[in-house]
Amino acid sequence: MRQYSPDLTPPWKKPAPVPEVPADPGLVVEEPATGFCGAVIRCEAGTVTLEDRFGKHRVFPLEPRGFLLEGRPVTLVRSAAGRAPARPTRTASGSLAVPEARARVARAGRIYVEGRHDAELVEKVWGDDLRVEGVVVEYLSGIDDLPAVVEEFAPGPDARLGVLVDHLVPGSKESRIAESVTSAHALVVGHPFIDVWEAVKPAALGIGGWPRVPRGEDWKTGVCRRLGWEENTGAAWQRILSAVHSYKDLEPALLGCVERLIDHVTVP
């Protein structure tokens, strides 16, 4: 006969109960011992596999109080959805989507871009990621006054500033302006394209390539003229933006810049 062993632990020494949460694919949790944060992609007998925003996988045991969900301890349990391998959907940037994620309170740090078109493109591709991270993107209408803008912002360890610059190539006016920003908490990066329009892959628009426009001629108007589009740069931009569906429609040179800026203002 099985003997009864009473639990003599005083009530005040017993750990408070925590909720059990199904380990459904896409659920984002943190493993407190390692600090690894990721989305559930697979839950098998006794283990759960997480994938972080960089695509790295880690396998952890399903232990009581083993994870943090929105900062609170939970016990992950295997669910019907978790018995079959499944990958969560991804955002337009290629990051793991966080189902029903609430926008985080905005950070003190910011990302500045040159113009409205830059801001709209970043929002379309990285908007979901930025809301989860609490990053606000603002546009400057040019960077001629960038040193003064940075000085006024006064970036610091808890309020970092990232700046995306068009046509940042050696010897350019933009490169000289960027080099004048010396704050250790401000990061200025840029792509080589004359305008952010060029960062959209021609194939996404069904054209063979971006036309060459002679110096001295307005570049955007010249592009419209040579592509046979109406010489209305606002309408042309909407045409370009509507052709962008994900990071796959953008040139790697822009992708790398934006990812660096997001990391700069979010990674401790």
Side-chain angles (χ1 to χ4, degrees):
M1 178 181 294
R2 182 178 179 180
Q3 293 184 341
Y4 172 69
S5 299
D7 184 357
L8 301 179
T9 305
W12 60 86
K13 288 189 176 181
K14 293 181 179 180
V18 301
E20 292 187 347
V21 177
D24 293 326
L27 179 73
V28 176
V29 294
E30 178 183 349
E31 200 284 318
T34 61
F36 188 88
C37 184
V40 174
I41 63 168
R42 183 179 301 104
C43 185
E44 299 171 326
T47 65
V48 62
T49 302
L50 305 182
E51 181 178 26
D52 70 7
R53 66 190 296 263
F54 303 105
K56 184 178 180 181
H57 291 189
R58 291 283 296 274
V59 180
F60 298 99
L62 288 175
E63 297 181 342
R65 306 173 65 92
F67 298 88
L68 300 179
L69 177 62
E70 297 182 351
R72 297 182 178 180
V74 297
T75 297
L76 290 187
V77 296
R78 195 179 183 199
S79 67
R83 294 188 184 110
R87 294 187 65 83
T89 57
R90 292 184 176 270
T91 66
S93 72
S95 298
L96 291 170
V98 182
E100 301 180 1
R102 295 181 180 179
R104 177 174 173 168
V105 175
R107 295 173 184 267
R110 290 288 187 273
I111 291 177
Y112 287 167
V113 297
E114 280 204 46
R116 182 169 60 85
H117 293 179
D118 306 71
E120 289 177 347
L121 186 60
V122 169
E123 162 61 27
K124 184 161 188 180
V125 177
W126 287 274
D128 290 338
D129 302 353
L130 295 169
R131 280 182 283 279
V132 169
E133 296 288 355
V135 178
V136 175
V137 175
E138 301 178 9
Y139 66 89
L140 299 172
S141 298
I143 63 162
D144 288 350
D145 299 321
L146 183 60
V149 170
V150 174
E151 183 178 1
E152 181 179 358
F153 184 89
D158 298 321
R160 299 187 216 175
L161 179 63
V163 185
L164 178 66
V165 176
D166 296 342
H167 199 229
L168 190 61
V169 296
S172 66
K173 176 191 76 173
E174 290 82 2
S175 68
R176 291 190 293 272
I177 293 173
E179 289 168 1
S180 67
V181 175
T182 58
S183 171
H185 304 292
L187 174 65
V188 182
V189 298
H191 55 73
F193 311 112
I194 294 174
D195 188 271
V196 76
W197 287 22
E198 273 194 307
V200 178
K201 291 180 178 178
L205 290 158
I207 61 176
W210 288 101
R212 298 179 65 85
V213 178
R215 293 189 63 178
E217 181 179 352
D218 179 74
W219 187 83
K220 292 178 180 177
T221 302
V223 166
C224 293
R225 186 174 298 138
R226 286 162 178 79
L227 290 177
W229 295 352
E230 178 186 0
E231 293 183 22
N232 179 328
T233 56
W237 170 242
Q238 292 306 313
R239 179 174 185 167
I240 295 167
L241 188 62
S242 66
V244 176
H245 302 290
S246 76
Y247 72 98
K248 296 178 182 179
D249 297 317
L250 301 181
E251 297 289 356
L254 176 65
L255 298 176
C257 288
V258 177
E259 294 291 344
R260 284 184 64 194
L261 292 177
I262 294 174
D263 287 345
H264 174 70
V265 300
T266 60
V267 177

